[in-house]
Amino acid sequence: MRVDTCILLLYLPLAIFGVAEKNESAFVATREWQTVKKGTPIPKGLHVRHNFATGVTEAKLMDETDEDDENGKQSNSNSLTLHPDKSVIENEEPDPLKIKKFPATLKFPIDELKARLKKLKQDEAEDEANMDDEEAHPKTEKRFKRFYETLKEELNALKVNVTSDSELLKRFFQKFQSYKDNVITGTLTNIDIEEVLDILNNLEYLLHQIDNAKIFSDMDGLTKIVSPCLNGTNNEIKSEALRLLGAAAQSNPKVQAKALENDFIQKVLHVLSTNSKIEVKSRCLFALSALIRQFPAAQKAWIDHGGLQLLGKILYDDQLLIQMKAMKLVNDLTIERRNLEEIYDPEQRQQKMREYAITDFELKLLGHDYCKLLSNLMIKCFEEKLTGRKFSIENNDFLEVVSDSMITISPICKTEFKNIKLMLLPVIDNLLHFYENPNIKLTVDETDVLKSLILLIERLKITIFEPSHDEL
């Protein structure tokens, strides 16, 4: 056997390279294939191939793609390719140093995950102070989704089984019951307050799903969780409970009906009228909007229990943020009625109109001097802009909201606005003139904002003062 092996080893070089005269000149390899003359020594480490059909031997410098290229051509070639210094071993064990190692421990400890979740919600609360709750929801959901994906990865690493939403709701219900009495009496410790806020935050996140909100309602979550929080003394807990109520009721007729049945409109109005904290009042208006929009029966209850009168007081004297939210709520209810005309089916349209007719919304607005209060607020806002005598790109949100409110409500307040035309028109014209002649050099952004404000005020002037088609 050893003799046969030796003969084979001696024969193989002869078969490949042939018997030729000795050539002492060294082969100089490049990146391109070159023919190796017979008898020329081939340095180690080159990529060598020999064509058995032609007897030609070629060589070049090794590169990273050679192996893949040659493997792709091997089946259609008569050549033998040699890779010096490479061994082919079947079932070769992978190099442990080249294997990506995954940490055996969590990327974030559980305590840190909780801390990050808490900070996320605190940051979100700060953002919401400067925007509508409805505007905040997409952003909130996006941020929570990003965090939730990270959390799932961590839980999967621990092989933790995630329970269903309904099971989570039950757990939060049970957990809240241990704090319920202290929430009402205001005897919670700081740690207890954090725990209650955590429960409310988690519930609010779950209730963005309509089905979860229905389950929450069926479990009497409104009376067992929200109501005790509203009856308590801690404003932070009240604020989160109102946010939870709004999340549950938003675009959810079943929860809206349950809330109406349990007098939550009156409860929220009471908090709005007695609490001075801006965050609590803002959340009250968010909750009210969710409770009464697209629900005429709830709107009637809201009006009957002094909702419009309370909004009038807000327009007369309150923080700008609360005034903006109050105006937006009336705008939404006004547009909601206007959209009834677009219902295609005549029978359904008439049915909806009968439902909304019971609220006497337009007459109640006029009866509570909403038109006058809104126009006074517009005059005050415009005059403050003129007082500065210098255009600023900042703090124009209020001007935009009050102008848009005047435009939206003008069909209802047409007569009232016409009666005070001598008061309104000079202020509008003065602000238009001021914006059209800023007398300062503006940046591109400032110019864009200024143009949009001018268009808005011009539209306001046309809408409230030009005669309607009926008058023509």
Side-chain angles (χ1 to χ4, degrees), residues 192-422:
D192 291 341
I193 292 172
E194 291 297 322
E195 288 294 331
V196 172
L197 291 174
D198 186 62
I199 293 170
L200 296 175
N201 280 323
N202 282 295
L203 285 172
E204 188 270 339
Y205 178 62
L206 288 171
L207 298 197
H208 281 293
Q209 296 289 334
I210 290 179
D211 290 340
N212 289 342
K214 291 178 180 178
I215 295 172
F216 178 81
S217 176
D218 291 339
M219 295 171 67
D220 289 329
L222 297 178
T223 55
K224 291 181 178 179
I225 293 181
V226 177
S227 189
C229 294
L230 297 184
N231 292 333
T233 59
N234 186 285
N235 284 322
E236 196 172 0
I237 290 176
K238 280 185 182 181
S239 177
E240 291 304 316
L242 288 163
R243 184 163 168 256
L244 174 62
L245 175 60
Q250 200 164 40
S251 302
N252 199 325
K254 183 175 182 178
V255 179
Q256 286 179 315
K258 193 69 174 283
L260 177 62
E261 178 185 333
N262 288 279
D263 299 329
F264 270 88
I265 291 174
Q266 296 93 303
K267 292 176 182 179
V268 176
L269 285 173
H270 175 72
V271 176
L272 179 60
S273 63
T274 58
N275 200 292
S276 60
K277 296 293 182 181
I278 186 170
E279 184 178 8
V280 174
K281 297 177 81 169
S282 175
R283 293 282 173 79
C284 280
L285 289 169
F286 165 61
L288 283 172
S289 177
L291 289 170
I292 69 176
R293 287 179 64 180
Q294 305 295 332
F295 192 11
Q299 292 176 22
K300 186 177 188 309
W302 171 67
I303 293 172
D304 291 345
H305 288 89
L308 276 175
Q309 186 177 0
L310 186 54
L311 290 193
K313 291 180 179 179
I314 289 173
L315 292 193
Y316 181 75
D317 183 25
D318 214 312
Q319 295 101 329
L320 295 183
L321 175 64
I322 305 305
Q323 289 178 329
M324 283 196 295
K325 285 182 174 290
M327 287 186 284
K328 287 182 178 181
L329 176 55
V330 173
N331 287 358
D332 290 341
L333 297 178
T334 303
I335 294 170
E336 189 176 306
R337 283 157 173 75
R338 199 170 296 163
N339 289 340
L340 296 177
E341 299 290 344
E342 299 178 5
I343 298 176
Y344 180 76
D345 183 77
E347 186 175 343
Q348 185 182 3
R349 182 170 63 250
Q350 291 300 322
Q351 175 62 28
K352 281 290 184 182
M353 287 183 172
R354 284 192 294 269
E355 292 175 5
Y356 278 91
I358 65 172
T359 65
D360 287 330
F361 176 71
E362 292 84 356
L363 291 176
K364 297 290 185 180
L365 274 179
L366 295 172
H368 287 95
D369 289 331
Y370 184 83
C371 304
K372 181 180 179 181
L373 291 166
L374 181 61
S375 59
N376 288 342
L377 193 60
M378 187 215 77
I379 292 172
K380 180 181 177 182
C381 172
F382 282 23
E383 287 179 342
E384 286 178 354
K385 289 292 181 181
L386 289 167
T387 302
R389 305 309 302 174
K390 183 178 180 182
F391 174 73
S392 172
I393 196 173
E394 305 294 336
N395 303 321
N396 290 306
D397 291 346
F398 190 82
L399 184 147
E400 292 175 358
V401 172
V402 73
S403 299
D404 187 61
S405 296
M406 291 282 289
I407 293 170
T408 302
I409 209 73
S410 62
I412 300 173
C413 300
K414 196 77 174 180
T415 301
E416 283 68 19
F417 291 162
K418 186 177 180 180
N419 291 338
I420 56 174
K421 181 177 180 179
L422 294 178

